[in-house]
Each structure stands twice: as C-alpha cells, then as structure tokens.
Amino acid sequence: MSIEVTTVVDDAAAELWRQVHNTVIPATPLTSSEVRDRRRRNRLTLAHAAGVLVGNATVRPATDQRPPTVIVRILPEHRRHGYGTEYLQRLLTDDPALRAGDLATVVLCANHDGLSFARRHGFVEVERYQVGGAEYADLVRRR
C-alpha cells in the first residue's frame, strides 16, 4: 500500500477534490466556487493509490484561536486499507508546522469511520456543533 499525494493546483484537480469532499460529507456539499476559495486559504491535496483516487485532505494554517488543522477524507470503498493512516503521516512529514505542537481536525459526526480514525490517531473531541443541520466534532491531538 502506497499512495501518491499531490497538491491541488488547477481546476481539474479541484473538481476531483470537490467530488471526494461531497461524497464523504454529503450534508454540506461544496460548489466549485467554494473550493476555489478554500484553495486560496488552505492546502488541498489528493491521494491516489495505483492511479485510483482514494481520498483528499485539507490543511488549514494555525490561527490565534486554533492550532493547524488537518482533515483527511478517504472514500468509503477505500477505507480500512491503511490509506488514511499513510495519508496523515505523509502530511505530517511534509509540513513541519503540523508536527510542532497541537493539531486539530474536524469530522462529520455521522461519519463513524472518520470519528474512529481520529480517535485511533490520538485526537480527542473538544466540541460538537451544527452547520446546516449536520453535526460536526472538533478534535485536538495534544503534543
């Protein structure tokens, strides 16, 4: 198992990123315009295994109120193959800011696989909230 991680740099890749996001988080689908806006603020990446798209990720920089955030999304049919763990490790290795201190993530609460994944990787839930009728959990991994 080995994935290739690429940064979203054009509209075609942004559309693939959007498709993964909207599959994993159907409660709050994004438009192409919203993805373009996210691309300006965050690092968006895609993960492929043997040329097949398996997931995407968002890396948000730290703010005064929040540590850096990494959100890994694996398509349902590719879960439980180790891609999420490899993806997270690759992002942590590639970005020193993600290794320096606390790290946050966000998970749609209806995504039980995502919550379980976050907890297995040391994230602890700190808050739940509603967005557009969907419940989300903020989790933090303390260093």
Side-chain angles (χ1 to χ4, degrees):
M1 145 198 62
S2 184
I3 60 170
E4 178 186 359
V5 175
T6 57
T7 299
V8 172
V9 295
D10 60 30
D11 289 342
E15 181 57 25
L16 291 174
W17 188 95
R18 187 178 77 83
Q19 289 172 11
V20 172
H21 177 280
N22 290 352
T23 298
V24 175
I25 308 175
T28 51
L30 297 176
T31 66
S32 296
S33 176
E34 290 169 318
V35 172
R36 277 192 300 278
D37 181 55
R38 285 180 186 220
R39 235 170 83 195
R40 285 190 283 278
R41 294 181 284 120
N42 307 309
R43 179 175 178 229
L44 307 183
T45 60
L46 295 169
H48 290 82
V52 175
L53 181 63
V54 297
N56 77 11
T58 302
V59 177
R60 298 178 188 159
T63 68
D64 290 340
Q65 299 82 27
R66 186 179 182 91
T69 300
V70 63
I71 305 166
V72 172
R73 301 173 198 87
I74 301 296
L75 291 165
E77 63 270 25
H78 298 292
R79 293 178 185 162
R80 295 185 184 81
H81 297 286
Y83 297 132
T85 298
E86 183 180 350
Y87 203 174
L88 177 61
Q89 289 306 316
R90 184 81 57 84
L91 293 169
L92 295 176
T93 299
D94 291 348
D95 189 339
L98 299 179
R99 296 189 308 267
D102 293 349
L103 184 64
T105 194
V106 179
V107 180
L108 176 67
C109 292
N111 180 354
H112 301 289
D113 289 338
L115 284 171
S116 177
F117 174 85
R119 289 179 182 130
R120 278 194 322 275
H121 287 87
F123 289 90
V124 176
E125 189 173 319
V126 294
E127 181 181 8
R128 286 195 179 208
Y129 55 93
Q130 299 279 321
V131 174
E135 186 176 35
Y136 289 85
D138 281 346
L139 299 99
V140 174
R141 184 166 86 176
R142 304 276 182 211
R143 303 269 173 129

